[in-house]
């Protein structure tokens, strides 16, 4: 299988000298095309740091990060901005929608910035809105729709440019359980039916149980990998809870 992401011996050290703090240590792993991978770990373990470094939002102190054949750890800022726009998709906890734009305009923004032809853009908007069941909301503004619908809009925007890799950072963190389940089911079907490659950071075992593979991070190091294989989502959920109980001593430590 071909890798979409190859992380090789990545370190991240914040600050300098006596005030420095090593947030990531010798992280290496790969994600292959079509995978749905979760990153889990206790609070302060380095999950957000890892996501930021892989998603070109921050740079590693050392190591290499290949997205397909491009080493983003060696790219200059300007090159990174283009790379991010053309090849990566983002879904954040707080949606990051623009309030003055309609749902349709929010979704098509990345393609408009990339100056794609208008007809093509509208066709893509409809296709992606259908996948997430929000065709009826396209002319509404963010303040007129629910949190779950906002997150579906944000997901459509992340996907419309058909990114090589989608990064999701606690995407269900602000949603009620019904909306969270709907979103996780949409992400799963995007992964299985459209072969989207997704990496999702979450502290929530239920959200993680929708992934096919989970990497656990502790004190800046990868500590364990769990693969769902043929297990049902419910069985996988139980295994994740067991693992969290072991790591944290008590599930409440895992936030
Ligand atoms: N900008 C920063 N400067 C210094 N230390 C940081 C910075 N960002 C995060 N850290 C530290 O790095 C560690 C990992 O943080 P983070 O990646 O946010 O963990 P997580 O997302 O798993 O909770 C924590 O100890 C945190 O205090
Ligand atoms: Mg975090």
């Amino acid at each position: 299988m071909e890798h979409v992401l190859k992380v090789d011996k990545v370190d991240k050290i914040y600050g300098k000298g006596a005030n420095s703090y090593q947030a990531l240590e010798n992280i290496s792993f790969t994600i292959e095309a079509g995978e749905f991978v979760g990153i889990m770990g206790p609070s302060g373990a380095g999950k957000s740091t890892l996501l930021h470094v892989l998603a070109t939002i921050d740079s590693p102190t050392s190591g290499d990060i290949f997205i397909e054949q491009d080493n983003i750890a060696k790219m200059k800022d300007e090159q990174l901005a283009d790379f991010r726009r053309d090849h990566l998709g983002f879904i954040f906890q707080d949606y990051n929608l623009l309030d003055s734009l309609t749902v349709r305009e929010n979704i098509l923004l990345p393609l408009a910035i990339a100056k794609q032809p208008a007809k093509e853009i509208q066709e893509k908007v409809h296709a992606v809105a259908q996948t997430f069941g929000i065709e009826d909301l396209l002319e509404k503004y963010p303040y007129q729709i629910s949190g779950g619908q906002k997150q579906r809009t944000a997901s459509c925007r992340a996907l419309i440019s058909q990114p090589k890799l989608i990064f999701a950072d606690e995407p269900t963190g602000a949603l009620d359980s019904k909306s969270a389940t709907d979103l996780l089911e949409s992400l799963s079907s995007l992964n299985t039916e459209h072969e989207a490659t997704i990496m999702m950071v979450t502290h929530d075992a239920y959200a993680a149980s929708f992934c096919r593979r989970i990497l656990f991070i502790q004190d800046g190091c990868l500590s364990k990998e769990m693969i769902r294989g043929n297990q049902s989502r419910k069985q996988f959920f139980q295994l994740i809870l067991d693992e969290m109980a072991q790591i944290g001593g008590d599930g409440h430590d895992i936030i």
Side-chain angles (χ1 to χ4, degrees), residues 3-253:
H3 74 257
V4 169
L5 176 71
K6 184 169 192 287
V7 182
D8 193 25
K9 301 190 187 74
V10 162
D11 286 340
K12 175 69 182 178
I13 299 168
Y14 288 115
K16 287 215 168 75
N19 290 325
S20 67
Y21 181 84
Q22 179 145 17
L24 296 176
E25 189 178 346
N26 200 27
I27 302 271
S28 298
F29 66 94
T30 58
I31 293 182
E32 291 175 356
E35 280 204 280
F36 185 4
V37 177
I39 305 281
M40 293 197 85
S43 182
K47 301 181 298 295
S48 296
T49 302
L50 179 63
L51 186 101
H52 291 161
V53 163
L54 301 184
T56 74
I57 296 165
D58 200 353
S59 54
T61 306
S62 60
D64 293 309
I65 300 164
F66 293 93
I67 293 182
E68 290 183 347
Q69 303 313 318
D70 295 299
N71 189 350
I72 59 165
K74 300 280 187 284
M75 278 187 196
K76 299 264 180 296
D77 285 352
E78 196 179 317
Q79 232 181 331
L80 278 176
D82 289 347
F83 188 86
R84 197 181 302 135
R85 185 197 66 206
D86 294 340
H87 301 302
L88 304 179
F90 296 93
I91 306 172
F92 296 105
Q93 177 173 342
D94 52 6
Y95 325 125
N96 284 343
L97 297 178
L98 296 174
D99 293 333
S100 58
L101 300 183
T102 62
V103 166
R104 179 193 298 280
E105 289 162 344
N106 266 288
I107 295 173
L108 61 74
L109 196 60
L111 300 185
I113 292 170
K115 298 200 168 59
Q116 291 208 1
K119 186 160 174 285
E120 247 171 64
I121 291 180
Q122 296 306 342
E123 284 168 7
K124 286 180 183 170
V125 170
H126 280 280
V128 77
Q130 204 168 20
T131 305
F132 280 87
I134 57 165
E135 300 119 295
D136 296 343
L137 305 177
L138 288 172
E139 309 318 324
K140 293 200 185 296
Y141 286 88
Y143 71 87
Q144 297 173 307
I145 63 179
S146 70
Q149 292 167 335
K150 283 184 197 164
Q151 195 56 301
R152 287 157 171 275
T153 303
S155 302
C156 288
R157 183 191 50 193
L159 292 160
I160 195 151
S161 45
Q162 293 177 301
K164 292 178 179 173
L165 186 53
I166 296 157
F167 292 104
D169 193 1
E170 303 281 2
T172 57
L175 302 182
D176 62 77
S177 63
K178 164 81 169 68
S179 303
T181 301
D182 286 349
L183 182 78
L184 291 162
E185 283 174 352
S186 299
L187 288 176
S188 288
S189 72
L190 204 72
N191 169 250
T192 51
E193 288 159 34
H194 300 270
E195 282 145 33
T197 309
I198 307 172
M199 190 186 113
M200 175 171 76
V201 168
T202 181
H203 67 267
D204 177 24
Y206 176 71
S209 69
F210 285 79
C211 298
R212 306 301 309 183
R213 177 159 71 107
I214 298 174
L215 300 172
F216 285 85
I217 181 167
Q218 262 185 294
D219 298 326
C221 301
L222 285 184
S223 59
K224 186 176 172 105
E225 177 183 70
M226 283 174 65
I227 295 171
R228 179 159 145 198
N230 293 325
Q231 299 171 97
S232 70
R233 194 194 58 70
K234 280 194 177 142
Q235 286 171 320
F236 198 40
F237 176 50
Q238 193 53 52
L239 282 181
I240 297 165
L241 284 177
D242 293 347
E243 180 62 24
M244 284 169 76
Q246 274 199 6
I247 294 175
D250 146 7
H252 298 296
D253 286 345

